[in-house]
Amino acid sequence: MPNNTGFIPEAFALAVAQLRQTTLRHELDFCEIIAPQQLAPHSYAAGAAINNSGSGIRGAGAVLDNNVGCGRFALLYDPAQRDIWQGDFRVVCYAQSNIEVELGTDPLIADVAWQWLATALASEHAGHTEIAGTATVTTSTGYGRLASSGSGSQLQIRASWTPEPQHMGAHLSAWGQLICLLAGLDHEAGVASLAAYNKQKI
């Protein structure tokens, strides 16, 4: 839910209304969560995760964390940040998924994942400026009582950008697409996913 500092600016209220009218992919559980209040006077936040049944849950009952693919999305509104953000709004989000260890050692996987974010934004016509972020791959190996868990890798993208507010829902849709791509699902428009990239490496 958006946080409330008393007065809700019309521009922010309209943006939140657009987000609430946005339909994400059916593979995703999705619901609104408590928004980060320390980042801006007004903010909205949501979480999503892959539903293994292939039929996502909206609202109550949604499971927002798993190893297949999940993420968080926040829309910030603060006109006082206009010079820094180059706008009144800022999207801050992350998406992550567990990946095969062999893929985690691919020196190009971070570049590929970041390109998927650009592709998702473009395919949803989510106009934006001032994009920034990181793509991080981590690998871990279990020992002792955790030895049975073996080795594993995780791919995570953290990003922020200044959205064009005319079609705010497009930014939420692009974030949902990114989660699905990292989880190995094909893009709805046919863009190759992480699973398809992995097959190219075999």
Side-chain angles (χ1 to χ4, degrees):
M1 298 290 291
N3 57 324
N4 189 343
T5 59
F7 171 72
I8 304 298
E10 182 179 4
F12 178 69
L14 290 173
V16 170
Q18 290 182 25
L19 295 175
R20 287 176 170 166
Q21 293 169 4
T22 302
T23 301
L24 296 185
R25 290 181 55 156
H26 64 84
E27 299 96 336
L28 290 169
D29 276 13
F30 172 82
C31 72
E32 295 181 1
I33 59 177
I34 297 175
Q37 300 187 18
Q38 72 278 14
L39 300 179
H42 303 277
S43 58
Y44 166 95
I50 299 294
N51 187 315
N52 289 326
S53 72
S55 180
I57 298 171
R58 300 293 183 265
V63 177
L64 301 182
D65 290 292
N66 62 38
N67 293 329
V68 180
C70 63
R72 298 290 185 272
F73 175 98
L75 178 68
L76 313 179
Y77 179 77
D78 185 359
Q81 294 288 334
R82 183 174 300 171
D83 290 343
I84 297 174
W85 294 349
Q86 297 300 301
D88 296 342
F89 291 94
R90 188 75 176 172
V91 168
V92 178
C93 66
Y94 79 85
Q96 65 184 31
S97 176
N98 282 2
I99 60 176
E100 295 182 9
V101 174
E102 293 78 7
L103 195 58
T105 62
D106 184 342
L108 297 179
I109 189 60
D111 293 339
V112 171
W114 185 258
Q115 183 57 46
W116 282 334
L117 172 59
T119 299
L121 288 166
S123 68
E124 297 296 328
H125 306 289
H128 62 281
T129 60
E130 305 299 320
I131 191 168
T134 60
T136 304
V137 181
T138 58
T139 299
S140 60
T141 301
Y143 296 97
R145 292 184 177 181
L146 295 179
S148 60
S149 63
S151 298
S153 293
Q154 184 182 77
L155 176 60
Q156 182 182 89
I157 291 181
R158 291 184 176 272
S160 65
W161 61 85
T162 298
E164 293 180 0
Q166 295 87 345
H167 305 287
M168 199 64 75
H171 301 272
L172 188 66
S173 294
W175 163 74
Q177 291 282 11
L178 179 63
I179 294 175
C180 290
L181 288 172
L182 293 182
L185 303 177
D186 285 342
H187 193 289
E188 289 180 325
V191 176
S193 68
L194 183 62
Y197 179 78
N198 193 23
K199 289 179 181 179
Q200 296 175 8
K201 307 302 292 183
I202 299 175

